[in-house]
Amino acid sequence: MNEISFKINTYSRHLLKLKVKSFSKVEDLIFKFSEDPRIDEDTLSIALSTLCGRKFKRITFDWPISVSTSKGISGWTGAEVHAAHSNNLTTDFSASNKVSVLNFSGGLDSLACLACLGDQTELVSLDFGGRFARERRFFKNFDTKIIKTNLIETSLRANSWSFMGLGSLLFRNILEGQFITFGSVLEAGGFHSNAPQESSLTFPPFKMAKYRIANSVAGISEAGTIAIVATFFPKLLKQSLLSVALPGEEKYIRKNALADLVGSELGFPFTPPPSDIGNRIHYSFGENFTVDLTTLFFLSRKKHESARMLVGSIPSYLQDVMQDLTLDFMLKADQNYYTQYPAELRPELEKVLSSAGISWYSTNDYTEIALLKERLAPHVKYRFG
C-alpha cells in the first residue's frame, strides 16, 4: 500500500520539524516562520494534505485531529486518514469579507495580483532557498509573512500543485482573509474550454480552511500583468524581473522581452537588465504553449528578433497561422474567468484594469482565439480542450 506518515520532531513558535515517511523513504521537512503561526492540529493536517495530493492510499498523522478534518482530507485525497486519535472539536477559522490572502512570490504576476486586490491584502511568501533565493531578496521588502522551507529539496513537492498555497494554510490562524489568490495567468489555462470554470473553483484544502478563491489575473496574459505592474509599481518592474528567474533561463528571456514590447506598445520606458549570459534556445515552436503564444504575440508586432530569441527558427507555416490575426487580446482580459469573481473585490479589479488600459474581450477576440486554436492544432504537441 502507498502510505505516507507525518511525525513532529520539533515545534516552537518559529520552527516546525517533521519526519515524513513515504514510498519507503524517510525525509526531514522543515519550516521556519517569520512569526508565530499558532498552528493547531487540524490546520497543520490540512496544510500537509497539499503535500499528499491523490498519490497515497493511507495518510497517517502522529497527532489527534477532528473527525470532520479527517473526513475532509480523505474526501479530496482519496486516502484513508489515520491519526493518534479523533476528537469532535472543529477549528473555527475567522475571516473578513474584505481581506484577501495572496500567495506572493514577488514576480510580475503576483505583483499584478497585489494591485488588483488593493490595500486590504495579506501577503504570504515561501522561501525555498537555493536557486530561488533571488525571490526572497525581493519579496522581503514587502510586509509579508515568510516561511523558509526545504520542501523543494524533498520528493513531496511533486504530489500536488496546491503546495504553493501551503503558507496560507500554515499561517491560517493569524490571517483574517476570506479570499485566497494565486498569480495564475491566462497562459496557465492553455486555451482549454474548461479553464475559466476550473480557475473559479476553490481547491478542497483551501475550502476546508474557509477560503474562497479569487484569482485576480487568471484571465489576463503575461503581457497584461506587465502592463498592470508598469502602471501601479513602475519602480519595481525591473527588480521584479530580476527575481522571476536566473539570467539565461527561458522565463527570464521571455519576461524581459515581453516587458520591452509592452513598454514600447504602451509608451513607458523600459531597458532590460544586462546579462553576461548568452540566450540559449530552450524550446522549438510547438513544444510549450506559453512560449508559443508569446512568440506569436511578438510576430504580430513585427518583433521577429524577439520571437527568434524564444524558439530559434520561425516555422514557415506561422505566416498562414497569423493571417489576419492581431492578437490584441494579449493586452485585454477574458471575462469568462470572472463570472464567479467575488462581488466584494470586483470594483477594485475593474478600477485597476481600466487604469492599466486593459479592456474586456470583444467578440472579435474570441473569434481570433478560436481561429488560432484551429490553425495551430496540426502543428503543436499540446492539445486544446
Side-chain angles (χ1 to χ4, degrees):
M1 177 182 286
N2 295 335
E3 301 182 37
I4 185 169
S5 65
F6 297 90
K7 181 179 180 179
I8 296 176
N9 281 353
T10 303
Y11 177 54
S12 63
R13 291 178 59 194
H14 295 279
L15 177 65
L16 172 62
K17 292 184 178 180
L18 302 108
K19 188 74 70 175
V20 185
K21 295 182 181 180
S22 64
F23 296 115
S24 302
K25 178 185 292 187
V26 179
E27 299 178 281
D28 292 316
L29 182 61
I30 302 171
F31 300 107
K32 296 180 180 179
F33 306 100
S34 59
E35 57 189 279
D36 183 3
R38 303 205 301 267
I39 302 175
D40 62 79
E41 291 89 347
D42 274 14
T43 305
L44 178 59
S45 303
I46 294 170
L48 293 176
S49 75
T50 66
L51 306 182
C52 302
R54 299 185 62 84
K55 296 293 181 71
F56 303 97
K57 294 183 178 180
R58 179 184 176 118
I59 301 172
T60 300
F61 300 109
D62 191 37
W63 54 81
I65 62 174
S66 69
V67 172
S68 61
T69 294
S70 177
K71 287 182 178 179
I73 293 174
S74 179
W76 91 264
T77 62
E80 296 178 6
V81 176
H82 297 261
H85 64 265
S86 300
N87 57 58
N88 293 319
L89 300 176
T90 57
T91 300
D92 182 23
F93 298 106
S94 61
S96 167
N97 63 0
K98 292 184 179 180
V99 179
S100 303
V101 176
L102 171 60
N103 295 280
F104 186 69
S105 68
L108 293 168
D109 302 332
S110 61
L111 264 182
C113 276
L114 179 57
C116 292
L117 293 169
D119 295 335
Q120 297 194 67
T121 306
E122 297 176 301
L123 306 181
V124 177
S125 302
L126 295 176
D127 175 9
F128 295 119
R131 62 186 296 270
F132 294 96
R134 64 184 188 277
E135 293 183 349
R136 181 177 181 128
R137 287 193 292 270
F138 183 58
F139 66 58
K140 71 179 181 180
N141 298 311
F142 293 79
D143 182 16
T144 181
K145 294 173 173 59
I146 300 173
I147 300 177
K148 183 176 177 60
T149 177
N150 68 331
L151 173 59
I152 290 296
E153 301 165 24
T154 74
S155 62
L156 302 172
R157 70 190 185 280
N159 296 329
S160 171
W161 69 267
S162 57
F163 82 85
M164 295 303 296
L166 183 67
S168 296
L169 295 171
L170 290 173
F171 274 124
R172 186 62 178 113
N173 290 334
I174 61 171
L175 293 169
E176 297 182 353
Q178 178 181 356
F179 307 105
I180 186 170
T181 304
F182 297 87
S184 179
V185 293
L186 179 76
E187 286 86 346
F191 283 165
H192 293 288
S193 57
N194 62 345
Q197 180 181 1
E198 288 185 355
S199 75
S200 300
L201 299 176
T202 305
F203 204 62
F206 308 116
K207 190 173 184 178
M208 290 178 65
K210 299 299 188 290
Y211 281 122
R212 290 171 56 196
I213 197 70
N215 283 334
S216 304
V217 295
I220 302 170
S221 74
E222 290 184 336
T225 62
I226 290 171
I228 292 173
V229 173
T231 302
F232 289 88
F233 303 109
K235 295 182 180 180
L236 298 180
L237 178 59
K238 189 172 293 188
Q239 296 177 54
S240 179
L241 281 165
L242 288 169
S243 77
V244 299
L246 297 173
E249 292 182 343
E250 183 279 322
K251 189 176 183 180
Y252 183 92
I253 299 168
R254 184 180 78 249
K255 293 275 192 175
N256 275 280
L258 258 180
D260 188 28
L261 170 57
V262 175
S264 62
E265 188 104 345
L266 301 183
F268 63 82
F270 176 76
T271 302
S275 173
D276 296 329
I277 300 176
N279 292 333
R280 180 172 69 86
I281 306 302
H282 295 77
Y283 296 99
S284 297
F285 192 91
E287 295 180 335
N288 181 288
F289 174 75
T290 299
V291 171
D292 290 354
L293 186 59
T294 307
T295 299
L296 294 173
F297 187 44
F298 288 148
L299 293 177
S300 74
R301 277 15 184 206
K302 310 300 182 186
K303 299 287 186 177
H304 293 82
E305 182 179 348
S306 296
R308 285 191 288 269
M309 285 172 56
L310 296 187
V311 297
S313 61
I314 307 299
S316 58
Y317 61 77
L318 289 186
Q319 184 173 349
D320 293 330
V321 169
M322 292 297 295
Q323 185 176 358
D324 300 325
L325 300 184
T326 67
L327 267 66
D328 287 346
F329 64 83
M330 291 290 285
L331 287 169
K332 296 183 181 181
D334 183 352
Q335 55 264 51
N336 288 334
Y337 282 86
Y338 301 94
T339 56
Q340 298 181 56
Y341 194 74
E344 301 93 325
L345 305 179
R346 196 171 187 97
E348 187 70 24
L349 170 71
E350 294 190 341
K351 182 180 75 173
V352 167
L353 296 186
S354 177
S355 297
I358 296 175
S359 59
W360 298 111
Y361 281 11
S362 66
T363 301
N364 287 340
D365 294 314
Y366 288 113
T367 300
E368 275 209 3
I369 291 173
L371 281 172
L372 195 57
K373 291 166 64 174
E374 180 183 337
R375 293 173 183 178
L376 280 178
H379 305 288
V380 298
K381 294 181 179 180
Y382 44 85
R383 293 185 177 182
F384 302 111

